[in-house]
Amino acid sequence: MLPRLPRLMGIVNVTPDSFSDGGRWADPEAAIEHGRRLLADGADILDIGGESTRPGATRPLVEEELDRVVPVISALAATGAEVSVDTMRAEVARAGLDAGASIVNDVSGGLADPAMLEVVAASKATYVAMHWRAHSDHMQDFAAYDGPGGVVGAVRDELSERVRAMLAAGIERERIVLDPGLGFAKRGDHNWELLRGLDDLRELGFPVLVGASRKQFLGQLLAAADGTPRAVDEREYAGTALTLLLAQRGVWGLRVHDVRASHDTLRVLACMAGSHD
């Protein structure tokens, strides 16, 4: 029997420097229109972010991040869209929730800002907590997983620690979603090991969100004969294949750039399983 189909989280990067589409939606009106298109393509959630977390990225000022995301969240939430604020800052999370977001997607799992868990606990928001070790400008210095269980064991243990902190802060279990953090302080082989080991992470008892869309490890997999990685905008077929495989693994959600391809994939999968919803 087919597991429940994953929710599609469409990416809206309101940034000048994101690795995939930096600058395309930096203007709030362009970002709002992009969000509307993603909804039409089948997105269940719109993930609005104002800070690039690509390897080597530097952080914007908090005022810059607020100016980028709050108008976009307000406009899209006002149409009835389910909106996620993608931020590591408690102040931005609070403003995003006030503007209409119902999900906080924190790639640091509360480690980047000690006030984050308190903000989420005081709300009714779903909290997506990702595995994280350091900020983007030096995170790859921490891509070592030599202990027992390798990267899967380390990510499972470190996420378990974050869950304990979330529960202690007053965030109810039913509001927690975990993300293995593909590409964050991880080399290509680590990402593939995590994808193969998702069942071990799901044994923690929480829904899992996966964000693999267009990431570097896919470009490395599809590299040319001379070793040149496949270009960012030419990785969608591989991403669509992962959509199919991860849906069959029962993940809660998939964070994607190309919503239409992922949505069409899920419709085919549901039809093959005998469901036409």
Side-chain angles (χ1 to χ4, degrees):
M1 178 180 293
L2 180 69
R4 182 199 59 79
L5 292 176
R7 308 194 73 197
L8 293 179
M9 179 182 276
I11 299 169
V12 183
N13 288 322
V14 195
T15 59
D17 57 344
S18 292
F19 81 93
S20 173
D21 50 12
R24 294 187 67 186
W25 325 118
D27 176 74
E29 288 303 317
I32 292 164
E33 181 57 32
H34 180 55
R36 291 175 178 150
R37 284 196 297 270
L38 294 181
L39 290 172
D41 286 344
D44 300 299
I45 304 163
L46 297 177
D47 193 40
I48 316 299
E51 175 180 355
S52 173
T53 52
R54 63 175 173 77
T58 56
R59 307 196 72 189
L61 298 173
V62 64
E63 293 81 6
E64 290 178 304
E65 189 178 351
L66 286 165
D67 288 344
R68 291 172 183 177
V69 301
V70 170
V72 180
I73 293 171
S74 297
L76 292 170
T79 68
E82 185 172 6
V83 175
S84 167
V85 55
D86 176 6
T87 185
M88 291 182 276
R89 289 175 163 138
E91 183 176 347
V92 178
R94 185 185 295 109
L97 294 171
D98 290 343
S102 60
I103 300 171
V104 175
N105 181 17
D106 178 3
V107 300
S108 81
L111 290 170
D113 187 338
M116 178 65 86
L117 299 187
E118 180 182 351
V119 168
V120 175
S123 74
K124 297 180 180 179
T126 296
Y127 185 50
V128 180
M130 197 191 77
H131 176 263
W132 184 89
R133 285 184 165 181
H135 285 291
S136 297
D137 58 351
H138 63 290
M139 64 182 176
Q140 293 309 103
D141 295 339
F142 296 86
Y145 301 92
D146 302 323
V151 65
V152 175
V155 169
R156 176 183 169 128
D157 290 348
E158 290 169 33
L159 282 176
S160 185
E161 289 179 10
R162 298 313 303 150
V163 166
R164 286 193 288 272
M166 294 173 223
L167 296 174
I171 303 173
E172 295 85 358
R173 292 183 63 89
E174 58 268 23
R175 292 202 280 139
I176 297 172
V177 176
L178 301 180
D179 180 339
L182 301 181
F184 288 78
K186 298 171 188 75
R187 299 189 303 270
D189 56 334
H190 295 142
N191 297 314
W192 290 112
E193 288 176 42
L194 280 169
L195 288 170
R196 297 185 194 106
L198 279 181
D199 289 345
D200 288 344
L201 299 182
R202 292 178 63 205
E203 286 178 1
L204 291 173
F206 295 92
V208 172
L209 172 77
V210 175
S213 183
R214 299 182 183 174
K215 288 193 171 175
Q216 187 176 30
F217 74 103
L218 296 176
Q220 293 168 341
L221 173 72
L222 305 170
D226 65 358
T228 303
R230 180 77 60 85
V232 169
D233 58 356
E234 296 178 354
R235 302 171 187 174
E236 286 295 355
Y237 295 147
T240 302
L242 275 178
T243 292
L244 175 63
L245 294 169
L246 292 171
Q248 293 173 318
R249 297 282 294 279
V251 300
W252 173 86
L254 295 166
R255 186 176 182 273
V256 299
H257 293 86
D258 190 340
V259 169
R260 178 177 292 183
S262 296
H263 186 254
D264 290 353
T265 298
L266 296 182
R267 291 185 65 183
V268 170
L269 184 59
C271 189
M272 289 294 290
S275 170
H276 297 276
D277 295 337

